[in-house]
Amino acid sequence: MGDAFQGFDTRLKSIERKRAGMERGYVGRVGKDGLIVFRPKRRQGGISLRGIVYLVAGFIFFKAVIIAHLGAGLYEERLAQLAQGSVVEQAGAAVMQPDAVSAMFASKLRPFLR
């Protein structure tokens, strides 16, 4: 009797797991044998706009901290050295060029990093 209850409980847990997976939507397909099988919809992968905004904001803040820590002159010298390197280093130097936003943040952060 205990084994039968355990098997039944296992089947109930399996059904509950499948049902929970289908709460976000499901797709019905007809198999080769004519049986209709419902499966959960696949999650749509992708990058959200919020994620891109956070990534750009973090990168600008990172540049601002580096500019504030090194100072504008030394930062420009290091970028010039980086621009003399390989293609990857040149691309890095192009991306790390100071922009108006990172320069403004750097001027605000400079007193805190000294």
Side-chain angles (χ1 to χ4, degrees):
M1 186 81 163
D3 292 333
F5 180 73
Q6 187 176 10
F8 180 72
D9 194 39
T10 304
R11 287 193 308 268
L12 279 179
K13 286 180 183 177
S14 173
I15 291 170
E16 185 60 34
R17 241 180 294 131
K18 288 178 184 177
R19 191 173 143 266
M22 290 189 199
E23 284 180 351
R24 287 175 260 126
Y26 55 88
V27 177
R29 305 260 169 140
V30 179
K32 292 179 183 177
D33 57 356
L35 185 65
I36 300 172
V37 179
F38 294 98
R39 299 202 185 263
K41 278 188 179 178
R42 292 181 138 208
R43 290 184 66 186
Q44 295 292 329
I47 300 173
S48 68
L49 181 61
R50 182 185 299 176
I52 293 171
V53 169
Y54 284 155
L55 182 68
V56 170
F59 186 70
I60 290 172
F61 183 74
F62 173 72
K63 285 195 321 186
V65 169
I66 292 175
I67 293 169
H69 179 70
L70 294 177
L74 184 58
Y75 185 76
E76 290 291 337
E77 288 176 20
R78 297 225 178 146
L79 279 181
Q81 289 175 354
L82 195 61
Q84 302 301 319
S86 68
V87 175
V88 174
E89 290 173 338
Q90 291 173 2
V95 170
M96 293 300 288
Q97 288 296 322
D99 52 75
V101 177
S102 59
M104 180 196 61
F105 283 138
S107 66
K108 303 288 184 192
L109 289 173
R110 186 118 172 115
F112 297 108
L113 295 178
R114 284 255 161 198

